[in-house]
Amino acid sequence: MSENVVHLYKDPTPEPEDHGTTPIPPTPLTVVTDTPAVPLWVRSGRAIRRLVTDERTTTVGRAVVRHSLYTFNGGRIVARRTWDSRTGARYERMLRAAEAAGNYEVAEEWEERLQRFRDARHRRRMDLLHSPLDAAKGVAVGTGMSIGVLVGLGIVMALNTKDIGDVITPLRATIEFIAALIRIVQIIWPTAVVVGPLLALLAMWTVGSKQQAAPNWALPANVRSSEGEPITPSIVVKALRDLGVPALRNAIKEMGDAGAGMLGPIRIAGCGVEVDVTLPSGVSTIEVQNRRRKLAENLTRHEHEVFITIPQAARTVRLWVADSGALDEPIGPSPLVTDETMTADYAKGKAPWGQDLRGDAAALSLYQRHLLITGLSNQGKTVALRSLALWLSLDKSVQFLMGDLKGVGDWNMFDGLAEVLIQGPTDEHVIQVTEMVEGAVDEMNRRIQAPPGTQFPPLIVLVDEAQVAFMCPAKDDEKRPYGGSKANSRYFMAVRKIHNQGRAVNVLMWQGTQDPTNENLPKLVREGAHTRASLALGTESQARMALGDKAVDGGAAPNLLRPGLDRGTLVVASDGITIPAGQSSITVRTHYIDDDAAVVITDRAKAIRDGVTTLTVIERGEDRDALADIAHVIGNASRLLTLDILKRLAALSEDAYGAWTFGDLKRVLEAQGEEPKKSNGRMVVHRDHVLRALTNRDGDGSASDAG
């Protein structure tokens, strides 16, 4: 390493004056430093860099470029206008644009106008052939007449003044006036030669500045930061022209209307505007879709404020452009919270879920539709899924079997409303949830075997964080895995069975998962859902898993939602929600219902029911007191249908009651002197009768075990 040597000189200690001694020289102090010397060219480069990157330098540079391009492009605009006014170029562009749009009637009209223009131009050119002779004759006649008039005026003056010299006075004055004009022109001509081009440049600069004919980076800051400006046809066309698609750019340049013919009407759509763009031949819709960010920036918007979908019309893209910042503002509260009188109708109603991007209410029909909601963690999946269950709970005919494999209390308010509520993330909880779903499969099979025309109440089998079940490594006594996606995987096969046949008998599977992969969300399971919704995702491949290829190819892009910022925003593919014609999906901003509001809603749902005893643990492999279990599953209800009792008993213990029939139930009750009764044509068991049987049995010291 090179060293720098610095010599510091220290003055000697002052001594008394001694004229006989030699002066003592200063003592040098040598200091050695390890800092290498900076070469001159490095220091010069840094100085140049500071100069170039200085704000004042960049401001001056932008100003020079801007005003130079104003003048240059202004000249191009003037030349283009002049050329259009003197030739048939404008008519030809309009003709080509009409032909490209397939509007042949308009094309014929523009062809007629072009022909009339050419005929008129031909006549003008033929007239120019005779104009020199006519002009010469006119000049000769005019000059002769002028001289005659001037001479006549001079004669009148001479007669008046009696001076013969006045005859040529008017003629002489005219000649002197012409000579004065010539001298004036000779004086100002050198200045005009200099000023004339400057005035022409000024005129071109004026035209260019009015048209903002310079790159965006060179424009002034107040013009460059035009974020939020209204969307107009010219802005849309310019954004498409600058999209980086050569075929599109060239087609717009060749169009007589500068590309305006591509655009449909710009319609106000909620907190933004919507416009259909018919692309010219040779431009694919996918080329526009793949440039969403650049299109948004060209429209002075952020990427999340522009949505591109594919309508029914061929070679057409539909652009929805939000008002700047509108999507960052929250939507209003849910009608479930604001309207305390709201009720639900499973068969005919729709759940108020949120708002679409146009600001219209987005409501989802849940009738006989399996449901899948997925997305990244902490994006609002549970709240979105829970809001649907909250609405449906206001229909007292709906029954719930719920499993929450996260287990942090998000579904606590359904205790006393759901018949089964299992909460927890462990393998034991997965086993219980799996047996719950298998119990729903048994109920589905019982319903399928019922006489034709039998009406069944809706049974919603809801599993939140279902990926935990698919990834569970536990196996049962027969070595069958609870998780996985093989033919012997218990949870997977139970879900598949409900997907295959549950819809017909109102047994529906709802699942919420996060961060989908082929392992934690198998293909057959995700494709079995009728309603598929996705919050923000990481990749397009995940978006295809969540919504399917058709929805993504049609413009659905949950992978472009902003994690954290777009929390609660869903892309939905379903026939249960109103989707604009030609689109395969719709983006919904869901209402947020917090835990306190959810408790209030479930309290209203509990008030319209007879009372539900919620099972939080499914017990297995032990002797059961059948009569006590019957009393337990009836709960606070005054009476309960025998079919519902059998179903709840099976959910309570699949091993003990999974194979029970009406005969088994009747046998246990008759053994204690009670039996099911008929009410409104259906067999029921009264709670008081069961409690009386328990009291009598306990007094006798006897018990009746299941089996």
Side-chain angles (χ1 to χ4, degrees), residues 273-553:
V273 296
E274 185 178 73
V275 59
D276 287 351
V277 181
T278 302
L279 301 176
S281 178
V283 181
S284 171
T285 55
I286 193 66
E287 294 182 276
V288 178
Q289 283 184 296
N290 290 341
R291 290 169 172 81
R292 178 188 177 194
R293 174 176 295 181
K294 188 170 185 178
L295 178 61
E297 292 172 351
N298 291 347
L299 293 169
T300 65
R301 295 294 190 274
H302 297 291
E303 183 178 11
H304 71 277
E305 294 176 328
V306 175
F307 287 81
I308 306 172
T309 55
I310 309 298
Q312 287 181 334
R315 216 171 65 239
T316 302
V317 293
R318 178 168 294 163
L319 307 181
W320 185 86
V321 184
D323 297 336
S324 184
L327 295 184
D328 296 327
E329 300 176 359
I331 63 174
S334 170
L336 288 171
V337 177
T338 59
D339 186 0
E340 296 182 356
T341 63
M342 174 174 283
T343 58
D345 187 337
Y346 162 75
K348 299 179 181 179
K350 289 188 175 183
W353 211 7
Q355 294 180 1
D356 61 17
L357 296 179
R358 296 162 182 79
D360 300 328
L364 179 67
S365 172
L366 303 172
Y367 178 66
Q368 293 188 343
R369 290 179 176 87
H370 301 303
L371 176 67
L372 172 65
I373 299 180
T374 187
L376 297 178
S377 177
N378 195 31
Q379 298 305 309
K381 168 181 53 61
T382 297
V383 172
L385 183 62
R386 189 176 67 183
S387 65
L388 298 178
L390 288 171
W391 176 80
L392 202 54
S393 69
L394 297 176
D395 184 341
K396 64 180 181 180
S397 67
V398 178
Q399 302 167 351
F400 293 98
L401 302 178
M402 292 185 168
D404 174 18
L405 294 177
K406 181 163 51 178
V408 295
D410 291 332
W411 298 87
N412 280 343
M413 65 286 302
F414 281 87
D415 190 358
L417 191 59
E419 297 184 12
V420 177
L421 177 58
I422 300 169
Q423 301 183 88
T426 66
D427 290 349
E428 180 62 26
H429 291 102
V430 172
I431 292 172
Q432 294 188 28
V433 167
T434 301
E435 293 178 349
M436 177 191 76
V437 178
E438 290 175 338
V441 173
D442 294 336
E443 170 63 16
M444 176 189 72
N445 292 332
R446 281 192 289 268
R447 293 183 177 191
I448 292 174
Q449 295 170 5
T454 305
Q455 298 297 318
F456 301 102
L459 175 61
I460 307 300
V461 185
L462 188 153
V463 179
D464 195 11
E465 306 296 341
Q467 77 279 353
V468 177
F470 286 113
M471 300 300 291
C472 178
K475 295 183 179 181
D476 61 13
D477 295 337
E478 300 177 3
K479 304 301 181 181
R480 293 183 302 166
Y482 287 93
S485 57
K486 297 181 179 179
N488 63 343
S489 299
R490 292 181 60 177
Y491 180 80
F492 169 75
M493 291 306 299
V495 172
R496 286 292 300 138
K497 290 175 182 178
I498 295 177
H499 279 174
N500 290 338
Q501 295 179 298
R503 175 178 176 273
V505 290
N506 284 332
V507 177
L508 303 178
M509 192 75 208
W510 290 10
Q511 295 184 97
T513 69
Q514 64 175 255
D515 202 10
T517 65
N518 286 322
E519 289 72 27
N520 64 25
L521 186 59
K523 184 174 186 292
L524 292 177
V525 171
R526 60 182 186 251
E527 291 186 351
H530 303 99
T531 296
R532 301 167 71 172
S534 177
L535 296 129
L537 288 173
T539 64
E540 182 180 326
S541 62
Q542 287 185 316
R544 293 184 181 275
M545 292 180 190
L547 301 176
D549 291 337
K550 179 180 179 182
V552 175
D553 291 339

Side-chain angles (χ1 to χ4, degrees), residues 38-77:
V38 179
L40 178 61
W41 64 271
V42 173
R43 294 197 300 271
S44 301
R46 292 174 179 174
I48 294 173
R49 181 181 178 182
R50 286 194 299 269
L51 177 63
V52 172
T53 58
D54 186 77
E55 182 179 356
R56 290 169 294 182
T57 305
T58 56
T59 301
V60 172
R62 281 198 300 268
V64 172
V65 173
R66 178 171 66 251
H67 293 293
S68 300
L69 290 177
Y70 279 171
T71 304
F72 177 75
N73 291 328
R76 292 180 56 190
I77 294 172

